[in-house]
Each structure stands twice: as structure tokens, then as C-alpha cells.
Amino acid sequence: MSSNDDHHALDEAKAEVAEAEAVETQHQPEVPLGVQATTGPRRSPLVTLAWIAPGTIWLLLFLIAPLIMIVLVSIWTRTPVGFEKWSFTLDAYGRIFETDVYRDTLFSTFVRAIFVTALCVVMGYPVAFFLARCISSIRYQIALFIFVLAPFWVAYVVRIVAWLPVLGRQGVINYVIVEILHLRSEPIDALFYSPFAVMLALVQLYVLFMVTPIFFQLATLDNAAIEAARDLGATPSKVFREVILPLSLPGVLIGCIFVFVLVMGEFATVRIIGGGTVQSVGTLVYDYYKLPDLPSAAAGATILVAVMTIGVAILLRFSRIREVV
């Protein structure tokens, strides 16, 4: 075959390839809008600003601005009729640390938050696992999840006060111990208005904030990975330990952040269930507010927010949620 024939055959082959590519391009599906938004022409800055403006304004008004005001009040010099103009001091922080009351209360609140978070994980994970992995019907999953949500249809304070007929001196537990089992001649006073009662009520109040993110994380797991582990001979316990548990950790972390932050800032539950025998930073801040000593109250709240932020940062740092996701 001559060189001219070779060149002619090569040109025909290139033409056929180009024609095939043109036909394939015509039959390609339309690119989704989400992909076009990230790969297509750049949006106008005004359009981008319009998209982010509502969320930004909400964060500024309801998160950043209140925090700034709390910090300003904590360092503003107070007068009998208000605050002195452009006069700032750190005396409020010195006053709350003059005694060990705030320091000890902050430590006990932090420890209580850790224990409640751990108990919520222990109690919430099995419930979420049962709902997400042991029930195949989505209809039954939703029905049972709504059933778990049922206590949250009742007002927050009502759920707190509801512990009185259970843990009170004339409550169900004391009735069973004294009247039915005859284990004691007198009711147990320490059940209510005690750290135990506060911990129990907090777990009951906030365990759903642990169940919900874990449930949705488990419900969206890739079943292919689980089936692959089973095909390779993994036992059910090893499948859970090596596949399901690591993949569900982001949901566990989100639940831990929710519960930890909520318990750290808890006020009403400690006030009602503790009955003045148990303190939290929230109750101390309220006491400063009633004096009234607004700078000290703001200083106590500022330190509480700082401690919560540090705790959340530690959770995010050591959990490496982005790597897991």
C-alpha cells in the first residue's frame, strides 16, 4: 500500500471519529442546573449578594449583635443610673472570680454536660439504630420516629414539672419503695431536688437531639459497603464495629454538639428540678441579673459562651468530622 493510500485511510478514520464524537455530544443528557451553577459562567455579584443576604442578616441580628452587646455590657463601667460613656473596665470579671462560686459552678456545669452527653449517646444510639437499620419499612420508620417525638409535643416546662409525681416525696418511686416493696419506712428525699434528678431530667429532655441526627445518618448509609463486609465473611458485630459505627460518627458528633451546648446553657431545669440545691452557670447569671449587677451577669455569660465554644472546637478537632464525611 502506498503512502497516499495510508494518508487517505488515516483521514477517513479521523473523519469517522469526529462524526462519532459529534453524534455522542448531541445525545448527551442535559447538564443539571446544580452542575451548571458551579461549572458554567460566573454569576453576577449582585445575584450572589441577594442569595447570601438573608442568612447573613439573620446571623448578624440574632447571633453576632447579641454576643457583641453581652461583651460590651461586661466591660462597660456601670453607674447608678446606667453606664458611663466610653469607659470600659474588667472589674466585672474580677468580681465573679473573687470567690470560688463561679469557678466551681462552671466546672460542675461542664462535668454535668459531659455526663449528660455521654448518657444521651448510650441511650440514643440504640434507639436510632433500631429505627434506621432494624425496620425495613419507611412507613413504620416514620411512624415510630413520630412516636419518639411525642414527648416534645408537650411544653418544655410541663415536661420538667412532670418529674415531680415520679421523683417527689409522694411520687411513684417512693410509693413503690415504701408501700409496695417495704424497703424503707420513710420516703427518699434525695430523689427530687438533687443532682441525680437534674441529670435524669436533662437526659430525658435532650436525648432526642441525639437520636435525630444519628437516625438520619444511619438511614442514609450506603448498604453496598455493609453487604460487601458481609460477603467477605464479617460477623454482624464486626460489620457494626468496622463499617456502621465509623460511618455513623458524624451523626453522633452533631448530636453531641447539640446536647453539650444545650446542657451547658441550661437554666430552667436546674432551677425547677434542683430546687436551689443544684447550681448551673445559667442560674448564677440569673442571680447576678436580679441583684441587679448587669456587668457581672454579662461577664458570666461571656465566659460560658467561651467555654462552650472551646468545647465544641475540641469535639470538632478530635473527631475530624470532615475526614469521616
Side-chain angles (χ1 to χ4, degrees):
M1 184 179 293
S2 64
S3 59
N4 291 333
D5 293 338
D6 293 339
H7 286 299
H8 181 68
L10 182 60
D11 292 338
E12 289 182 352
K14 289 181 179 180
E16 291 178 359
V17 171
E19 183 179 356
E21 291 178 349
V23 173
E24 183 179 357
T25 303
Q26 292 176 357
H27 289 82
Q28 281 183 348
E30 184 179 356
V31 180
L33 294 178
V35 177
Q36 292 179 7
T38 56
T39 61
R42 296 182 60 184
R43 279 202 189 104
S44 169
L46 293 178
V47 175
T48 303
L49 180 62
W51 276 104
I52 66 173
T56 303
I57 293 174
W58 190 90
L59 289 175
L60 289 175
L61 290 179
F62 298 104
L63 180 63
I64 305 300
L67 288 177
I68 293 175
M69 288 302 301
I70 291 174
V71 174
L72 288 177
V73 171
S74 69
I75 62 176
W76 224 323
T77 302
R78 189 171 180 270
T79 65
V81 295
F83 295 93
E84 189 173 339
K85 187 177 181 180
W86 305 117
S87 178
F88 301 101
T89 178
L90 297 177
D91 291 344
Y93 293 90
R95 285 197 301 273
I96 65 175
F97 284 111
E98 284 179 354
T99 63
D100 294 335
V101 174
Y102 184 86
R103 186 184 302 108
D104 294 342
T105 304
L106 180 62
F107 178 75
S108 64
T109 302
F110 183 81
V111 173
R112 184 186 305 122
I114 295 296
F115 271 104
V116 172
T117 303
L119 288 174
C120 286
V121 173
V122 173
M123 297 180 61
Y125 196 100
V127 175
F129 184 86
F130 174 78
L131 292 175
R133 308 304 307 178
C134 298
I135 300 177
S136 57
S137 174
I138 297 179
R139 178 182 301 177
Y140 289 124
Q141 282 183 349
I142 296 175
L144 289 176
F145 186 72
I146 294 176
F147 178 76
V148 173
L149 286 174
F152 281 73
W153 299 347
V154 182
Y156 174 81
V157 177
V158 174
R159 283 183 284 139
I160 298 175
V161 178
W163 282 103
L164 180 59
V166 179
L167 300 176
R169 184 177 176 82
Q170 305 299 326
V172 174
I173 296 179
N174 273 319
Y175 179 81
V176 172
I177 292 176
V178 176
E179 300 295 336
I180 298 179
L181 300 180
H182 302 289
L183 298 178
R184 289 174 59 94
S185 59
E186 294 293 330
I188 303 175
D189 295 327
L191 287 179
F192 209 66
Y193 298 146
S194 65
F196 166 77
V198 172
M199 294 269 290
L200 187 62
L202 289 174
V203 171
Q204 184 267 333
L205 287 171
Y206 295 125
V207 68
L208 187 63
F209 290 92
M210 184 69 68
V211 172
T212 302
I214 298 176
F215 167 74
F216 284 109
Q217 185 69 34
L218 288 171
T220 57
L221 291 184
D222 185 7
N223 290 324
I226 299 174
E227 293 299 330
R230 291 172 179 169
D231 293 341
L232 292 174
T235 61
S237 61
K238 195 166 186 178
V239 170
F240 173 78
R241 187 174 62 253
E242 301 293 339
V243 180
I244 297 178
L245 182 60
L247 293 177
S248 65
L249 287 181
V252 175
L253 175 65
I254 294 172
C256 288
I257 292 174
F258 282 160
V259 175
F260 175 79
V261 171
L262 290 171
V263 175
M264 282 291 293
E266 181 57 57
F267 162 75
T269 306
V270 178
R271 197 78 174 183
I272 297 173
I273 302 295
T277 62
V278 182
Q279 291 287 344
S280 69
V281 176
T283 59
L284 282 184
V285 170
Y286 179 70
D287 291 338
Y288 288 133
Y289 173 78
K290 289 194 305 180
L291 288 177
D293 187 358
L294 295 184
S296 295
T302 301
I303 295 173
L304 176 62
V305 172
V307 172
M308 286 192 295
T309 304
I310 294 172
V312 172
I314 292 174
L315 285 174
L316 293 174
R317 172 64 181 84
F318 287 98
S319 63
R320 298 179 180 177
I321 184 172
R322 293 185 181 275
E323 295 181 8
V324 175
V325 174

